[in-house]
Amino acid sequence: MPTVVITGANRGLGLEFVRQYLADGWHTIACVRRPSEALSALEGAGHLTISTFDLVDPAAMAAFAARLGDAPVDVLLNNAGTMGRGSFAEQGLEPFRFGVANAEEWAEVFHLNVFVPMKLAELLVDNVAASEGRRIITLTSMLGSMALNTLGGLYAYRASKAAVNAMMRSMAIDLAPRGIIAAPIHPGWVKTGLGGDRAPLEAPEAVAGVRRVIASLTPENNGQVVSYAGEAMPW
Ligand SMILES: NC(=O)c1ccc[n+]([C@@H]2O[C@H](COP(=O)([O-])OP(=O)(O)OC[C@H]3O[C@@H](n4cnc5c(N)ncnc54)[C@H](OP(=O)(O)O)[C@@H]3O)[C@@H](O)[C@H]2O)c1
């Protein structure tokens, strides 16, 4: 039975990843800081392990890795992410405009979106290398693309996802000798707490697409930015 580790698995895309991997018969390890009713309701729907800890607590992350021991992890899926303290869904670009940059908020966004996937990859790399799947995935965004930025704004989030792309590129190069594929995948613009109601995609469709891409990645894709539809995206 393959194993997937999913962060931010209590709602949004993370919860849908849990549903779909469970339905497919995977041992699904859901990392959350607060289990939701929707996640708890999936216990019994398959081989689900809920691991409750705050990703931004380094000691808690290390303890999670220690609990895993040497268990193989086929897919490490870094899904948890944040835009910052405002709500794009409710307030649009206003909280993310030029003129309101805040050091604490930038640190929070970079810590969760960039540092946590990096550190978790370091902590679990032996588990991933010991698996059949050998994939480390971090969800990125088209908002991190230089070429696709025609609207401006969203400074911390855009910068963090551009950093994710740079980080995953290095990881792809460094871990290729161990047979690991590392890639940033854009899930599309999806109706979630982060994406808001105006998003064109529903979570089941986006997640099914991302899962297809994860399954079909080859060493040739290593380090590329790929969309949920399987298309290479510009940096
Ligand atoms: N939705 C889109 O349109 C879209 C587009 C491109 C990329 N993405 C990316 O897809 C990923 C998932 O986004 P989503 O749309 O599902 O967002 P979401 O509905 O806002 O969910 C975000 C998840 O991250 C978790 N999280 C936030 N801060 C955390 C922390 N400090 N420690 C642990 N977990 C934390 C949240 O847990 P809590 O419930 O505990 O806060 C939640 O599970 C993100 O990386 C996002 O950047 C989304």
Side-chain angles (χ1 to χ4, degrees), residues 8 10-11 13 33 54 79 112 140 157 161 188-190 192:
N10 59 330
R11 60 188 169 100
L13 294 173
R33 54 180 173 175
D54 197 331
N79 163 81
L112 183 66
T140 185
Y157 185 69
K161 292 300 185 180
W189 183 17
V190 196
T192 62

Side-chain angles (χ1 to χ4, degrees), residues 192-232:
T192 62
L194 186 146
D197 289 341
R198 289 184 302 123
L201 278 173
E202 300 286 345
E205 183 186 354
V207 165
V210 173
R211 290 181 63 243
R212 262 195 305 276
V213 171
I214 292 173
S216 65
L217 287 173
T218 66
E220 284 69 48
N221 305 115
N222 213 351
Q224 282 182 356
V225 186
V226 189
S227 79
Y228 76 102
E231 292 153 352

Side-chain angles (χ1 to χ4, degrees), residues 7-15 17 31-34 53-56 78-83 112-113 138-143 157 161 185-196 199:
T7 63
N10 59 330
R11 60 188 169 100
L13 294 173
L15 179 64
F17 278 115
C31 302
V32 294
R33 54 180 173 175
R34 281 182 296 268
F53 65 99
D54 197 331
L55 288 166
V56 300
N78 291 301
N79 163 81
T82 180
M83 275 192 164
L112 183 66
N113 293 6
T138 302
L139 290 197
T140 185
S141 171
M142 62 183 288
L143 295 173
Y157 185 69
K161 292 300 185 180
I185 300 182
H186 166 56
W189 183 17
V190 196
K191 284 189 185 70
T192 62
L194 186 146

Side-chain angles (χ1 to χ4, degrees), residues 28-95:
T28 303
I29 301 176
C31 302
V32 294
R33 54 180 173 175
R34 281 182 296 268
S36 60
E37 278 181 26
L39 178 64
S40 302
L42 294 175
E43 279 178 313
H47 192 169
L48 173 64
T49 304
I50 299 177
S51 204
T52 304
F53 65 99
D54 197 331
L55 288 166
V56 300
D57 175 351
M61 228 186 339
F64 167 69
R67 282 197 299 280
L68 274 183
D70 56 6
V73 171
D74 294 81
V75 177
L76 166 58
L77 183 42
N78 291 301
N79 163 81
T82 180
M83 275 192 164
R85 294 184 181 173
S87 165
F88 173 71
E90 285 162 23
Q91 302 159 282
L93 292 176
E94 177 55 24

Side-chain angles (χ1 to χ4, degrees), residues 14-30:
L15 179 64
E16 183 60 27
F17 278 115
V18 173
R19 282 201 190 96
Q20 295 195 17
Y21 276 110
L22 278 178
D24 232 10
W26 287 52
H27 175 206
T28 303
I29 301 176

